[in-house]
Amino acid sequence: PSMNAMSRPSVLVIGAGPSGLAALASFAEAQAKGAQIPDITCVEKQSKMGGLWNYTWRTGLDQFGERVHGSMYRFLWSNGPKEVLEMSNYTFDDHFGQPIPSFPPREVLADYILGRAKKLGAEKFIKFETAVRDVRREEGGFVVTWEDLNTRQLSTTTFDHVICAVGHFSVPNVPEYPGFASFHGRILHAHDFRDAREFSGRRIVVVGSSYSAEDIALQCYKYGAKQVTISYRNKPMGFKWPENISEKPLLTHADGDSVAFSDGSSVPANAVAVLHEWKTMFVSGA
């Protein structure tokens, strides 16, 4: 039977980041073409669409006391060509009306990701500043409890289907190294890195050896860091680095104003940026 012959199924989309928006835009596009779509609701704890592409100066907790979701930093540029990020039915040329470079900055990519959703009117489905507190599978569907972050009012609704699009790069896993508790400088996870200018004139150790480590190391160099040392676990990236960027094996401990490595060497340091794993956390009860 068609949807007209029965009550429409209900679908909850949790999160209005890139994945959630892709789902919402697809529903909106189908509706615009005359298709009967389910009863769609999306809840998003931020105040706007975009998910991890929303830049905020905040770290730790947001204005509602919720964990800050995004890890976006001010001067981020795409570390992969835009051609592999392009949506098949909404190209960069469609959005901007002209060709753009393959490696755009943060603001350009965010504008593109939001463009298709805005064009198709996906925002009409979204409840902003609303946090899901619980999802449970029970007979008859998924029982979902969410909280309006402005009024602190809890609401519980049952849905036939749930699309969990909350992402899994928002809860940092920060390892413990000997000496961290008495280290004289700053220790941060990449999740809390916002502006490389903070480290101008300073010596920073970047723990990690993949894309983010490369980008944050070069950002700090570009904006005036005195020395950047990259600590790798298995093997160095091996690039031809600028003079004041070097690579060292695994960090072993910190000692006051310095950081030591597994080859017995050490460097003076004002800060340690840990680009480590993330904790995979979805919705309680899901």
Side-chain angles (χ1 to χ4, degrees), residues 52-67:
L52 84 170
W53 283 97
N54 288 332
Y55 171 77
T56 174
W57 59 268
R58 294 180 184 272
T59 59
L61 301 179
D62 66 12
Q63 69 270 35
F64 299 110
E66 299 287 309
R67 279 198 308 262

Side-chain angles (χ1 to χ4, degrees), residues 118-186:
K118 290 179 178 179
K119 180 180 179 180
L120 294 168
E123 193 168 358
K124 64 187 177 186
F125 299 121
I126 305 172
K127 295 178 180 291
F128 292 106
E129 297 181 342
T130 303
V132 171
R133 297 305 187 202
D134 194 53
V135 179
R136 297 186 182 278
R137 180 69 183 269
E138 296 185 2
E139 186 176 351
F142 293 90
V143 180
V144 180
T145 299
W146 64 59
E147 181 178 1
D148 182 316
L149 295 176
N150 288 289
T151 65
R152 294 299 177 182
Q153 181 176 351
L154 293 172
S155 302
T156 299
T157 308
T158 300
F159 292 88
D160 297 304
H161 308 281
V162 172
I163 299 173
C164 187
V166 298
H168 56 276
F169 293 119
S170 62
V171 182
N173 178 32
V174 184
E176 176 77 22
Y177 288 94
F180 266 17
S182 56
F183 179 61
H184 294 174
R186 184 183 178 198

Side-chain angles (χ1 to χ4, degrees), residues 6 12 30 45 57 61 64 73 76 94 164-165 168 190 214 218 220 228 232 234-235 247 268 273 279-280:
M6 62 177 72
L12 174 68
K45 74 174 187 176
W57 59 268
L61 301 179
F64 299 110
Y73 45 94
L76 179 139
D94 290 337
C164 187
H168 56 276
E214 173 193 351
L218 289 170
C220 290
V228 181
Y232 58 88
N234 297 314
K235 63 180 181 178
E247 293 187 89
K279 293 181 179 179
T280 302

Side-chain angles (χ1 to χ4, degrees), residues 189-202:
H189 191 279
H191 179 64
D192 294 327
F193 181 88
R194 290 292 182 267
D195 192 329
R197 293 176 299 187
E198 175 185 349
F199 304 101
S200 177
R202 308 179 75 191

Side-chain angles (χ1 to χ4, degrees), residues 13-14 28-29 46 95 121 188-189 222 246 265:
V13 179
I14 306 175
E29 186 173 35
Q46 299 184 77
H95 181 71
L188 71 156
H189 191 279
K222 178 179 179 180
S246 62
S265 65

Side-chain angles (χ1 to χ4, degrees), residues 1-2 13 21 25 27 41 51 61 74 111-112 122 146 189 209 213 216 221 244 253 279 283:
S2 69
V13 179
L21 289 178
F27 283 123
T41 301
L61 301 179
R74 180 171 294 174
D111 191 68
Y112 168 69
W146 64 59
H189 191 279
S209 57
I216 287 178
Y221 165 77
N244 62 342
H253 64 278
K279 293 181 179 179
V283 179

